[in-house]
Amino acid sequence: MSRSGVITFKGNPLTLAGEELQVGQAAPDFTLHYYDDGLKTITPADLKGKPTILNVVPSLDTPVCATQTKKFNEELGTLGEQVNAVTVSLDLPFAQGRFCGAEGITNLRWGSAYQNRTFGQNYGVLIEELKLLTRAVVVLDADGKVTYAEIVPEVTAEPNYGAALAALKRQL
């Protein structure tokens, strides 16, 4: 399934692959990869038991994505171990690790959807024309149900941090 007209990139309309997430649905399946003394994985099962925020960005190697990740990192510092927080992109796990280390990102884990792009398909955030993830934020409750989902209409704009963080805090 494809959805046209949901997002733009610098004003140009693009197409998203997959269905739109619905509040109340179970978190779709995924396997993300990260590097920590070897390649390791993150799945929805790993996130159950705590509210989770998924900070989805096209690439950490761009200014808006870097800003978004740094802002969430700063805001999530007060919540500590009460929540799971993961930045998701198609950047390779090694590049994600370098970025997060260089920028002092300690309140978010990172996960790469590079291997098969099923995260993008399953969460309805894969830009067909660019083969990148669009900018989005998803909040899951402790049982893995979607409680908030924002797809930012213009890929170069930032998400609604306040609404996403409020949705996460309501789960505490």
Side-chain angles (χ1 to χ4, degrees):
M1 170 182 194
S2 296
R3 300 177 346 264
S4 301
V6 177
I7 62 163
T8 59
F9 179 68
K10 298 183 179 180
N12 298 310
L14 296 173
T15 308
L16 292 178
E19 295 185 27
E20 181 178 0
L21 284 181
Q22 300 297 317
V23 169
Q25 81 177 77
D29 195 31
F30 62 78
T31 299
L32 302 174
H33 294 83
Y34 68 100
Y35 188 81
D36 181 17
D37 265 348
L39 281 176
K40 298 183 179 169
T41 61
I42 302 169
T43 67
D46 298 321
L47 303 175
K48 285 195 176 175
K50 295 180 188 179
T52 297
I53 188 166
L54 300 172
N55 171 45
V56 184
V57 298
S59 175
L60 289 169
D61 196 28
T62 63
V64 178
C65 298
T67 297
Q68 179 177 334
T69 300
K70 289 182 215 177
K71 281 189 181 182
F72 275 125
N73 181 64
E74 183 179 316
E75 292 291 332
L76 292 167
T78 61
L79 300 178
E81 296 295 317
Q82 298 178 79
V83 299
N84 293 308
V86 183
T87 292
V88 182
S89 73
L90 288 171
D91 296 307
L92 291 176
F94 319 104
Q96 289 175 327
R98 277 192 305 276
F99 170 85
C100 291
E103 297 296 336
I105 305 297
T106 58
N107 300 312
L108 288 158
R109 294 165 65 187
W110 57 89
S112 175
Y114 80 101
Q115 275 200 347
N116 58 25
R117 291 180 170 76
T118 56
F119 177 92
Q121 284 276 353
N122 293 351
Y123 281 71
V125 296
L126 180 65
I127 303 171
E128 288 185 356
E129 294 86 351
L130 303 177
K131 304 299 184 238
L132 293 171
L133 302 179
T134 195
R135 189 172 315 287
V137 181
V138 177
V139 175
L140 308 174
D141 68 14
D143 296 322
K145 288 202 184 332
V146 176
T147 63
Y148 175 87
E150 175 191 11
I151 291 179
V152 180
E154 169 55 50
V155 177
T156 61
E158 294 177 55
N160 185 335
Y161 299 105
L165 291 165
L168 181 66
K169 290 175 182 176
R170 281 194 296 274
Q171 301 306 310
L172 297 176

